[in-house]
Amino acid sequence: MHAVRPLLAVIATTALTATAHAGPIFEYESASGNPFGGGSGGAYDSIRLSYDSMTEDFTFAVDYDGAVAEGGWLVVSDGPNPKRADDELAILYFDQGTQDVWAYAYNGRNNNASWQTTQFLGFFADAYTTSGDISTLALNAASINSQLAGTGVAFGPLIGIWFHPSFNQWIEGDAAGIHAYVARRNGWYDTHNDGRRCQPRPGHGGCVTTTEVPEPGALVLLATGLGALAMRRRRQR
């Protein structure tokens, strides 16, 4: 029995160390019925985002209800409404036809023209895919986030989302950036509309929280340690 206690201490210490060196994954899923959405750019059943704070892997998925949008643009913050956050966040443009994604610094304006006047942050080939009614944007955001003084597309316990799905859209661009962009019919999804503030207000909802998911590596390590502990205890019987 005395041999078990040191092993428990080692397992606990190792798991804590792994957790300290590994960041959590944050996830967000919209409520059904699009409570914050509207417009004419496509109806959808749900919107899901995830961000791994250690690897900086970013995923955005839309489950459309009916016609799938041809693309659109997205800005994500770590809490406040993304609108008006000039040069602190990234705006992602994506196109179903090419399956590509372009990242630019967001100029804080309520339109899709940031790419014309701001810094080009990166090109991601085949990062936007569609299967059935679900479109998914998946990329590693490290190169995007490192170029901005703000959070880029990172988020944590809080999230702010400004998303416009588009129909009648086409993007002419390549690895050097966007050359022309037309989006004639757009929908929208805003998590809240309280500007730079992050407090609940009547009719605005305040900030939106995410769900923190334990880092997989720490869980595997803990499970392995507990398995070793169980085997040792069996041998001692």
Side-chain angles (χ1 to χ4, degrees), residues 83-86 91 106-114 117 162:
K83 296 178 185 178
R84 307 176 191 171
D86 191 4
I91 180 169
Y106 174 54
N107 61 13
R109 298 174 185 173
N110 190 21
N111 58 49
N112 66 350
S114 293
T117 59
W162 181 52

Side-chain angles (χ1 to χ4, degrees), residues 19-98:
T19 303
H21 288 283
I25 298 171
F26 297 96
E27 295 182 346
Y28 168 81
E29 181 175 357
S30 66
S32 60
N34 299 336
F36 307 107
S40 59
Y44 29 91
D45 290 326
S46 67
I47 292 174
R48 298 180 177 87
L49 293 94
S50 69
Y51 180 73
D52 188 319
S53 59
M54 180 181 68
T55 65
E56 299 187 67
D57 288 330
F58 175 86
T59 303
F60 170 74
V62 185
D63 184 358
Y64 286 98
D65 181 9
V68 175
E70 295 168 4
W73 66 92
L74 170 72
V75 183
V76 174
S77 79
D78 60 346
N81 192 310
K83 296 178 185 178
R84 307 176 191 171
D86 191 4
D87 290 330
E88 301 170 9
L89 307 175
I91 180 169
L92 304 177
Y93 298 91
F94 39 94
D95 183 70
Q96 187 187 67
T98 64

